[in-house]
């Protein structure tokens, strides 16, 4: 299926089967992990989408996906959001308001202090 | 081939490393990142600054900005990302996007070109993101007094101003700790 250009330029065309609304504006540190469905559907996917599903069997960020596959960050973000809408990957987004959570910040500080 | 799937997904957190061109952003990220810093590109649309010779109204142009990043595993549940980004006024759009949800920012300054960090300082000040100004000691010593730098940058006393060495892991770690303590102070005073 020659959908390469479509997937790069107008990915929203590919999301008619979406099951849940996904913010296309994923934070670039969002963690991406291939789902069982994605792994099972791997052979039927094309181009970048297949690459992403193959890559994210190990959890990584949207930024890493972009860097490793040589995609512009905006393109990687949209492709991942769409794969997530289709259930092929699971995304784990940053927790909103975490910068205002003293216990969490203290925990990060303690761990960072231990780095030598 | 059917890829097999693992199961852990840590919560990502991030700190922005900003500053002018060539101030040591990539060096700082490399010094402490547990992966070789990766590079990705973001397309940004900007209005070109000059009216051309024929007097045409400036057109919007798309520029590509490199973004490099590294990460530090904090523990099984938290992964800290460091995103290094060049700071210029016209990249404001990208910054908004990048800074959303950040714990804080480290603005790196080269005292030979102090003014290059103005846009970053300005941006984080306005965005209300906790930030620290870190002077990269290229020559191993300060060419200006710290008070002069603070004055030149017009930053208030609430903004920590430190010196560091972007090439030294522990120095970068301490700079990041200063950012996090600023974030913590903000969090506990709210
Ligand atoms: N002597 C010395 N050189 C440094 C130091 N930090 C960075 N450099 C050098 O300065 C140059 C620029 O550093 P980078 O880390 O690439 O700076 P950058 O901010 O990422 O630059 P751009 O991404 O181009 O904006 C490199 O050649 C570094 O090796 C330092 O603390 N001391
Ligand atoms: Mg750089």
């Amino acid at each position: 299926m020659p959908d390469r250009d479509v997937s790069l330029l107008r990915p929203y065309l590919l999301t008619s089967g979406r099951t849940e609304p996904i913010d296309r504006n994923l934070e670039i540190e969002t963690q991406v992990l291939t789902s069982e469905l994605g792994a099972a559907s791997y052979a039927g996917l094309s181009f970048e989408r297949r690459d992403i599903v193959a890559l994210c069997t190990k959890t990584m960020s949207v930024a890493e996906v972009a860097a490793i596959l040589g995609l512009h960050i905006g393109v990687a973000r949209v492709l991942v959001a769409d794969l997530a809408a289709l259930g092929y990957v699971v995304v784990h987004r940053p927790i909103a308001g975490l910068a205002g959570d003293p216990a969490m910040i203290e925990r990060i500080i303690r761990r960072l202090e231990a780095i030598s | 081939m059917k890829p097999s799937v693992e199961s852990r997904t840590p919560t990502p957190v991030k700190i922005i490393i900003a500053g002018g061109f060539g101030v040591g952003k990539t060096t700082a990220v490399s010094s402490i990142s547990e992966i070789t810093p990766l590079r990705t590109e973001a397309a940004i649309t900007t209005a070109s600054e000059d009216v051309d010779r024929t007097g045409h109204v400036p057109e919007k142009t798309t520029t590509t900005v490199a973004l490099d990043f590294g990460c530090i595993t904090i523990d099984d549940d938290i992964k800290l990302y460091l995103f290094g980004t060049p700071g210029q006024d016209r990249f404001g759009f990208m910054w908004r996007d990048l800074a959303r949800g950040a714990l804080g920012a480290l603005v790196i300054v080269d005292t030979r070109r102090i003014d290059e960090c103005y846009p970053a300082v300005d941006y984080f000040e306005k965005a209300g993101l906790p930030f620290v100004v870190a002077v990269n000691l290229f020559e191993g010593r300060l060419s200006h007094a710290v008070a002069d730098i603070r004055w030149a940058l017009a930053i208030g006393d609430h903004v920590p101003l430190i010196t560091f060495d972007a090439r030294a892991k522990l120095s970068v770690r301490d700079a990041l700790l200063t950012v996090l303590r600023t974030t913590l102070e903000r969090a506990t005073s709210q």
Side-chain angles (χ1 to χ4, degrees):
Chain A
M1 190 177 72
D3 72 349
R4 185 188 182 95
D5 289 333
V6 177
S7 75
L8 278 172
L9 299 175
R10 295 203 290 161
Y12 59 89
L13 288 177
L14 304 173
T15 61
S16 49
R18 82 171 35 175
T19 51
E20 53 175 307
I22 289 270
D23 181 359
R24 309 288 288 286
N25 236 355
L26 286 177
E27 300 80 3
I28 61 181
E29 68 273 28
T30 295
Q31 302 289 295
V32 190
L33 180 63
T34 297
S35 67
E36 296 290 349
L37 175 65
S41 314
Y42 170 80
L45 296 173
S46 52
F47 303 108
E48 291 84 3
R49 295 194 293 169
R50 181 201 286 238
D51 295 340
I52 292 171
V53 165
L55 193 61
C56 295
T57 51
K58 236 177 130 266
T59 304
M60 67 180 71
S61 62
V62 172
E64 283 162 289
V65 168
I68 293 170
L69 297 181
L71 300 170
H72 266 230
I73 192 85
V75 173
R77 206 185 218 179
V78 165
L79 288 172
V80 167
D82 289 345
L83 285 167
L86 293 165
Y88 293 152
V89 298
V90 176
V91 291
H92 194 171
R93 300 180 68 174
I95 298 171
L98 203 129
D101 177 349
M104 190 60 112
I105 305 300
E106 275 168 5
R107 174 169 159 189
I108 299 171
I109 288 175
R110 278 196 305 276
R111 300 285 182 166
L112 207 54
E113 279 170 344
I115 287 181
S116 55
Chain B
M1 180 214 60
K2 180 177 156 180
S4 66
V5 172
E6 64 159 40
S7 62
R8 282 215 83 85
T9 49
T11 294
V13 295
K14 68 182 164 191
I15 291 177
I16 308 300
I17 314 289
F21 289 107
V23 293
K25 301 179 295 292
T26 303
T27 304
V29 172
S30 322
S31 296
I32 197 160
S33 174
E34 62 200 27
I35 59 167
T36 305
L38 291 167
R39 163 160 293 223
T40 176
E41 310 213 305
I44 51 162
T45 307
T46 52
S48 29
E49 282 164 26
D50 308 310
V51 174
D52 68 22
R53 242 171 275 179
T54 56
H56 282 134
V57 175
E59 300 247 330
K60 289 210 163 181
T61 54
T62 299
T63 322
T64 295
V65 180
L67 192 70
D68 43 30
F69 63 96
C71 64
I72 304 168
T73 299
I74 296 296
D75 54 33
D76 283 347
D77 301 319
I78 304 173
K79 197 163 174 183
L80 172 62
Y81 284 87
L82 304 173
F83 287 103
T85 171
Q88 287 211 342
D89 280 330
R90 60 201 182 88
F91 300 161
F93 171 75
M94 190 182 74
W95 278 4
R96 194 157 52 242
D97 220 32
L98 195 62
R100 183 161 49 103
L103 297 180
L106 185 69
V107 177
I108 305 182
V109 181
D110 176 346
T111 52
R112 294 165 294 188
R113 292 165 295 144
I114 288 185
D115 55 321
E116 284 194 9
C117 77
Y118 289 162
V121 165
D122 217 45
Y123 180 81
F124 296 126
E125 191 84 69
K126 286 195 185 116
L129 191 72
F131 70 99
V132 168
V133 175
V135 176
N136 190 12
L137 289 177
F138 279 90
E139 309 303 332
R141 62 187 170 79
L142 273 180
S143 56
H144 298 61
V146 169
D148 292 345
I149 297 171
R150 187 178 280 286
W151 185 83
L153 290 175
I155 49 172
D157 289 338
H158 64 287
V159 178
L161 176 61
I162 60 177
T163 60
F164 87 125
D165 183 338
R167 296 165 302 175
K169 184 180 183 184
L170 295 186
S171 184
V172 176
R173 177 200 65 182
D174 291 344
L176 295 177
L177 281 167
T178 309
V179 173
L180 289 167
R181 290 192 185 107
T182 307
T183 307
L184 180 61
E185 208 168 295
R186 181 85 59 93
T188 48
S189 70
Q190 265 162 8

